[in-house]
């Protein structure tokens, strides 16, 4: 979602010093604030009896998976700069986002990958030893090779 004035794209909207996170026209959301963008260079790892995981893993999130793929800066700006450990499609269905440290279920409202919006509210949220995860039950992001932008929105 973008807003243009003339030929210029608007990337920040404020009233005084108050940041506006979304703009609605009638009942339609026409803009929301980007809180972080990561570029994932898709890698893959095959695990016997499970299948192929594709996207990015630092190797820190799941002890039994070594690292694959890469990520632009690898920090979740929406979670105080926490390190992103995993952003991958699972062969078991859906996809996973994991960050290091214990964080609340907030900071972003949706994630856009390959033109598809995924709502945070549709993910299963968990906090575990050393990390925080969101498991999105549907979607097949990271289904191509190369670089894919992952956009987090408020």
């Amino acid at each position: 979602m973008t807003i243009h004035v003339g030929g210029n794209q608007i990337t920040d909207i404020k009233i005084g010093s108050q940041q506006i996170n979304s703009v609605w026209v009638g009942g339609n959301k026409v803009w929301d604030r980007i809180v972080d963008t990561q570029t994932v260079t898709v890698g893959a790892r095959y695990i016997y009896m499970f299948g192929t995981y594709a996207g990015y893993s630092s190797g820190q999130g799941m002890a039994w998976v070594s690292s694959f793929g890469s990520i632009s800066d690898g920090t979740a700006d929406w979670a105080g700069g926490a390190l992103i450990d995993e952003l991958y499609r699972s062969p078991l269905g859906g996809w996973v986002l994991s960050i290091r440290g214990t964080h609340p279920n907030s900071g972003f409202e949706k994630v856009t990958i390959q033109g598809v919006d995924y709502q945070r509210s549709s993910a299963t949220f968990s906090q575990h030893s050393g990390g925080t995860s969101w498991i999105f039950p549907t979607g097949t992001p990271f289904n191509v090779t190369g670089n894919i932008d992952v956009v987090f929105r408020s």
Side-chain angles (χ1 to χ4, degrees), residues 36 38 40 56 61 71 74-76 78-79 82-90 94-101 104-111 113 118-120 123-128 131-137 141-142 150-152:
D36 194 11
Q38 297 290 322
V40 172
Y56 161 75
I71 194 165
T75 59
W78 45 269
L83 294 177
I84 298 173
D85 279 326
E86 299 169 326
L87 198 49
Y88 66 83
R89 184 192 68 222
S90 171
W95 61 280
V96 175
L97 164 65
S98 294
I99 60 174
R100 208 168 288 179
N105 188 13
S106 61
F108 67 96
E109 291 301 316
K110 71 179 174 183
V111 183
I113 307 173
Y118 300 94
Q119 301 297 324
R120 178 177 49 84
T124 300
F125 171 74
S126 66
Q127 295 172 324
H128 44 84
T132 302
S133 295
W134 291 264
I135 300 172
F136 293 80
F142 312 115
V150 179
V151 181
F152 295 87

Side-chain angles (χ1 to χ4, degrees), residues 44-53 62 64-66 68 91:
R45 180 75 64 222
Y46 175 79
I47 298 176
Y48 179 71
M49 294 182 64
F50 288 99
T52 301
Y53 293 78
M62 298 185 300
W64 48 276
V65 173
S66 59
F68 57 89

